[in-house]
Amino acid sequence: MSDHAMLGPWVRRFLLDYLVGERNLSANTRTSYRDMLVQLLPFAAKQLKHPIDRLAITDLSGSLVRQFLLHLEEDRHCTTATRNQRLGGLHALAKFIGENSPEHLEWCSQIRLIPFKKALRASITYLDKPEMDALLAAPDRRTPQGCRDYALLLFLYNSGARATEAATLRIANIDWHARCVTIIGKGNKQRACPLWPITIEQLHQITSQRPPSERVFINRNGQPITRFGIHTLVERHALTAAAAAPSIKSKKVSPHVVRHTAGTHLLRAGVDINTIRAWLGHVSLDTTNIYAETDLETKARALATCAPPMDGKPKKRWREQPQLMAFLRDL
């Protein structure tokens, strides 16, 4: 069998040349695609009783891929979202091979025709204002680490940044005079976000003695904090905040919950949904609309604007309005 028909060389080109060189996709996306292949290839080899290095492109038939997706849900207990994410990576691989190998176009079509499964959209978790205030008050600001933690929590709430965006933020990305920050998000897309004076003050306090090329948030060893470190930090302070705001105990607080909190609070403050989309770096307005769909306070306020007047006078039943009935009969 020629190398052109073998799967291995195409996988290497897909991960190293296409995703990085041509698409310049984020490290998280590349990791997701890699993880899909790490799970798929051993599964395919076991089903077909072939060594992984001897798998051909066409060995990944539509029926085998469907078995793999079923395996993810039933044996690995993955959610529908994870199942769809793995299928999305496989669609991308099939598209890449089909575009560069015309003899595999039929195989590409079979793989890309495998549909995504519809999943129920889970309601988002966010913190109410007293809960967010309790979280911000949790760090001990008498210590350098507490000051760093407070600045990080304040930045996450102010900007709605993702954990990865905060972890990779550099001092040079902050415009101290304009009081704004340039955040590099998914797909290396940049967005500008205004900062509160107190956020600027706290960020300046933890970065003033360091060069602009360094990361803003560093750990106790002086190394850039990781997104996993940010997750641990938020979870630790949420436990402390629960003493002042017991309702936090019922919520699994993470950096993304703080991001949802920022979006929800912007909506409650009257900021229009398109501005929130740009603020948070959402590609689609549908993603931002979830805040309007789940926030009861915003719904109640909208309902109050269209409530009928309460004048106490009984209204005529529609059947007792002859003009309307005559109108309907004449239609």
Side-chain angles (χ1 to χ4, degrees), residues 188-205:
N188 290 324
K189 294 179 181 177
Q190 297 186 4
R191 66 183 189 275
C193 179
L195 297 176
W196 298 318
I198 188 173
T199 308
I200 283 287
E201 177 187 328
Q202 295 301 316
L203 292 176
H204 188 267
Q205 182 176 328

Side-chain angles (χ1 to χ4, degrees), residues 271-288:
V271 179
D272 71 272
I273 202 76
N274 203 46
T275 300
I276 298 174
R277 181 198 63 78
W279 192 303
L280 298 180
H282 289 155
V283 175
S284 169
L285 195 59
D286 291 340
T287 307
T288 317

Side-chain angles (χ1 to χ4, degrees), residues 289-306:
N289 279 333
I290 193 171
Y291 299 122
E293 293 171 5
T294 58
D295 181 31
L296 288 176
E297 182 176 312
T298 303
K299 288 180 179 178
R301 191 165 59 243
L303 186 64
T305 63
C306 58

Side-chain angles (χ1 to χ4, degrees), residues 89-109:
L90 192 52
H91 279 183
L93 173 63
K95 179 183 178 184
F96 167 70
I97 295 176
E99 288 176 344
N100 292 277
S101 179
E103 59 264 42
H104 289 108
L105 278 175
E106 182 180 352
W107 169 83
C108 170
S109 298

